[in-house]
Amino acid sequence: MYSSSFFSTPLFLSFLACILAPMAVLGANSNHFTEYIGALFRGVKFSDVPINSSVEFHYILSFAIDYSVATTPPAPTNGEFGVFWDTENLSPDAVSAIKQNYSNVKVAVSLGGATVNGYNVYFNATSVESWVSNAVSSLTTMIQQYNLDGIDIDYESFSNENDTDTFTECIGQLIKTLKDNGVISFASIAPFANPTVQSMYQALWAKYSSIIDYVNFQFYAYSADTTVDQYVQYYDEQVSNYPGGNVLASFMTENTSTSVISADTGFSACQELKSENKLYGIFIWCADASLSQGFTYEIQSQALLAS
């Protein structure tokens, strides 16, 4: 028999790590699917998108932005968010209807995005206290009006690229307050492989990862010549960058340029990740673009996740 002190020795801990490491990999595959919707104003409706009853399905409305378009260029509003998605087709009633019809569906809203009226959107907070206060108030009203379940953080540019602390505290305190108040049940972040973006989101992750449920990493932003094997390597890198996170694989169905990974490569990479038992989930940008394609990739992706 070993003495009780043995169980705290480096030898035992190393042995335990070897035993648990394979166990941690088992069950890594998930049935989680996310679809961004509403940003391109192409008339897509929730009900247009095929929904597999065997997946956990999240819609993410794109976007809510803390900018005013009363001026040109638009001006930041320090956390006072407004609706900037296709509300004609994606209304509060439409949200309630899709959730009523499908028990596996939840709906979130993405904050920030890349542009508003053709101008870059910057994360721009006057102070942590004022930004958080404004954001909690404006988003609580919006989330309750639209019967939403979560928020997604998708700021891609920053007024002060060296100030990770303000971004970390604003976003971290926002998520915590909305969760503590029972306004949302989940939150995600949507970084991509840009040094400034990564510095912001990894600083946020280092302090607030315990309240961030998903990492919707924009893998499609890598170069168009990325191979499936390289995609898997990038996926492994981001799992390391966001340790313990539920990192989703992703691809884009919008064919606006040749500067991003193709949907075919992205989906093939998802198949490979599934075969390696490390496909936590998939998100697609976006339903607006997929409408004209008959949602082929959405159908295939959900079938893969459900299998």
Side-chain angles (χ1 to χ4, degrees):
M1 299 292 291
Y2 293 112
S3 68
S4 60
S5 62
F6 170 77
F7 295 100
S8 61
T9 64
L11 177 62
F12 175 75
L13 294 177
S14 297
F15 170 76
L16 186 64
C18 291
I19 295 297
L20 292 181
M23 294 173 62
V25 174
L26 295 176
N29 285 338
S30 161
N31 68 340
H32 184 89
F33 179 79
T34 290
E35 180 90 42
Y36 285 80
I37 189 169
L40 305 182
F41 289 79
R42 296 183 184 172
V44 68
K45 300 177 175 65
F46 295 121
S47 56
D48 291 329
V49 184
I51 297 173
N52 188 318
S53 61
S54 296
V55 304
E56 178 188 34
F57 193 112
H58 285 186
Y59 283 109
I60 301 185
L61 293 163
S62 308
F63 293 94
I65 310 175
D66 56 333
Y67 265 70
S68 169
V69 292
T71 60
T72 302
T77 55
N78 192 40
E80 295 182 358
F81 283 87
V83 172
F84 284 84
W85 67 79
D86 181 4
T87 56
E88 180 177 347
N89 293 291
L90 305 170
S91 64
D93 287 344
V95 173
S96 296
I98 199 68
K99 290 172 64 176
Q100 183 175 0
N101 291 336
Y102 294 92
S103 60
N104 59 321
V105 167
K106 294 182 179 179
V107 184
V109 59
S110 189
L111 312 184
T115 63
V116 57
N117 285 8
Y119 293 89
N120 285 346
V121 168
Y122 291 89
F123 175 79
N124 192 332
T126 301
S127 69
V128 171
E129 182 179 3
S130 63
W131 190 94
V132 171
S133 177
N134 290 338
V136 167
S137 177
S138 59
L139 288 172
T140 296
T141 298
M142 184 187 301
I143 289 165
Q144 292 177 342
Q145 177 187 359
Y146 279 84
N147 188 25
L148 305 180
D149 303 288
I151 62 171
D152 173 66
I153 309 302
D154 187 31
Y155 283 101
E156 302 187 3
S157 299
F158 307 87
S159 59
N160 186 341
E161 294 187 350
N162 298 313
D163 186 4
T164 59
D165 290 342
T166 297
F167 179 73
T168 292
E169 289 308 316
C170 283
I171 301 303
Q173 290 183 31
L174 171 64
I175 294 172
K176 184 177 188 305
T177 302
L178 292 178
K179 282 194 168 186
D180 288 348
N181 291 348
V183 177
I184 62 172
S185 59
F186 67 88
S188 58
I189 57 174
F192 57 95
N194 167 278
T196 298
V197 170
Q198 289 281 61
S199 68
M200 292 290 176
Y201 284 91
Q202 288 179 27
L204 171 65
W205 186 259
K207 186 167 184 179
Y208 286 102
S209 61
S210 63
I211 58 172
I212 299 170
D213 301 279
Y214 311 102
V215 180
N216 296 352
F217 200 87
Q218 299 180 48
F219 288 101
Y220 45 79
Y222 286 103
S223 63
D225 60 356
T226 298
T227 65
V228 170
D229 287 344
Q230 288 172 329
Y231 188 115
V232 173
Q233 291 175 9
Y234 293 146
Y235 182 88
D236 291 340
E237 288 174 10
Q238 300 313 324
V239 169
S240 297
N241 285 335
Y242 298 91
N246 297 321
V247 179
L248 274 63
S250 63
F251 55 88
M252 175 188 292
T253 55
E254 176 75 353
N255 297 317
T256 57
S257 72
T258 58
S259 61
V260 297
I261 294 175
S262 71
D264 285 337
T265 298
F267 180 69
S268 295
C270 291
Q271 291 176 306
E272 176 58 30
L273 290 167
K274 175 86 171 185
S275 73
E276 295 182 18
N277 200 30
K278 56 186 180 184
L279 179 64
Y280 179 79
I282 299 172
F283 85 78
I284 291 179
W285 176 273
C286 59
D288 308 51
S290 299
L291 179 63
S292 63
Q293 304 169 11
F295 300 100
T296 300
Y297 291 101
E298 282 80 358
I299 294 170
Q300 293 176 343
S301 295
Q302 292 178 74
L304 177 65
L305 293 168
S307 64

